[in-house]
Amino acid sequence: MIPNSTRRILRSAVLFVAMTGFPGSLLAAGSDDGHTHGSTAGQVADEAARLRAGAELISARMLYIDRCAACHGERGHGTDAAANDFADAEALVRMTQQAMLESLDHDHGGRLTAPLAEADRATIIGYLRNYLMLPAPDADTDIGRAIYSRDCSVCHGDRGDAASWAQNSLNPAPAAFTAHGLDQLTREKMIESVTFGKKGSAMMPFAVQLSHKEIAAVVDYIRAAFMTEGMGSGAAAGDDHAHGHDGGHMAEVGEDAPFPAGLVGDPIWGKTFYEANCAECHGAKGDGEGRRAYFMIKKPENFLSPAARAELDRPELHEHISEGVVGTTMPSWDKVLTPQEIANVAEYVYRAFLNPDRFAAIEVPETPGWQRTETPPTELKKN
């Protein structure tokens, strides 16, 4: 039975097909000019195969998150020293397919909560090798340039500055890559966005249209052609922030990525709510050792782990709290909390656990005159 989350993603893929006119939109085999040609029976069959492959990749992602992400992290960085870092640049060379299969054949050293079926083992290894283990950047930019011209420039602009009809027609507007620094928008995150799309924006999943190597090629072209080491030249002088790919804003150099829609979190409110609700699973110290964690097969996020501190920023915390996390017991809170209240909780987690060395300790005022401006957090507890 297909989980509801997978159905939603597959529906997004179908919508993408309808919006882009796929099949019939891929580069013809052997084409060196980037122009599309009339569909032949062979092309249609090839495009249909890619569509199936894209849907299978999305399904494989769900399986990986369900069975592997608790130890290896959603992006494969590993949640502790014992877990392999699949996102390492040398991972494809260091970990052969046979070695990975043998590890899973032996129940992963006894660390698996339940044995994996043979088909699931093959699916997970394929996902790791074809998605999380990123291909090395290719010096040949022709493929990436052709794909960008055909599929991306209509929204992101010919020069990567989002100067197109879409800038004022889509909400949120597409990313202006010239306003992003290479250190702010990583290759890994860009590949993830192109592969799986971005919820809440017009960015649809290209996994149903492009191979993993082609996605890496177009990302590498964008990074080489439009982005710089620091802030790009396309950032307008005087702007406080540059627009981000997820419809929020990119922080300036030295700043942290902010919450969407200009939200600013109140960590004092967030601490009160966290201690009354989230600590039951994530622990009062944010270590994932809450009272209920003992009964969970998928352990709650340990915010103190290196993987969490490397992967989670304010926008991702806001998204995870709002929508929940697929394959875990983390529920969606967007029917219980307002976006502002979610930002409050996320701000507390971000400061207290993910970046404790950068922020002062958060103390709830005890003075009689202090009043909450929103519903008291302890009354919002979700059953």
Side-chain angles (χ1 to χ4, degrees), residues 131-217:
Y131 173 64
L132 286 187
M133 294 181 175
L134 302 181
D138 194 335
D140 182 2
T141 60
D142 286 347
I143 294 176
R145 182 186 293 109
I147 295 172
Y148 182 87
S149 176
R150 186 192 67 226
D151 294 330
C152 312
S153 62
V154 65
C155 291
H156 295 285
D158 292 334
R159 297 183 177 87
D161 55 4
S164 71
W165 68 271
Q167 189 172 35
N168 297 320
S169 302
L170 297 177
N171 184 23
F177 298 118
T178 52
H180 290 170
L182 293 172
D183 55 339
Q184 297 170 322
L185 191 57
T186 66
R187 181 177 188 252
E188 183 181 2
K189 282 193 174 183
M190 290 177 71
I191 288 176
E192 180 177 20
S193 293
V194 178
T195 303
F196 297 108
K198 199 71 179 178
K199 184 175 180 180
S201 77
M203 183 66 188
M204 302 302 292
F206 275 80
V208 298
Q209 181 179 8
L210 302 175
S211 71
H212 190 41
K213 187 173 181 179
E214 288 171 327
I215 289 173

Side-chain angles (χ1 to χ4, degrees), residues 59-60 62-69 72 86 100-128 298:
S59 180
M62 297 299 102
L63 178 63
Y64 171 84
I65 290 174
D66 181 54
R67 298 303 306 273
C68 310
H72 291 287
F86 297 115
M100 295 169 71
L101 182 59
E102 290 175 357
S103 176
L104 291 179
D105 282 342
H106 293 88
D107 289 340
H108 221 18
R111 292 192 294 274
L112 292 179
T113 55
L116 281 165
E118 182 177 352
D120 287 346
R121 292 200 297 271
T123 296
I124 287 173
I125 290 175
Y127 174 73
L128 289 170
K298 288 292 181 187

Side-chain angles (χ1 to χ4, degrees), residues 18-43:
M19 290 178 66
T20 60
F22 179 85
S25 58
L26 296 178
L27 287 172
S31 172
D32 59 1
D33 59 4
H35 296 151
T36 56
H37 302 280
S39 295
T40 65
Q43 283 181 282

Side-chain angles (χ1 to χ4, degrees), residues 46-68:
D46 181 60
E47 291 164 354
R50 290 199 179 202
L51 178 59
R52 287 194 300 272
E56 288 168 1
L57 172 62
I58 293 170
S59 180
R61 175 182 172 85
M62 297 299 102
L63 178 63
Y64 171 84
I65 290 174
D66 181 54
R67 298 303 306 273
C68 310

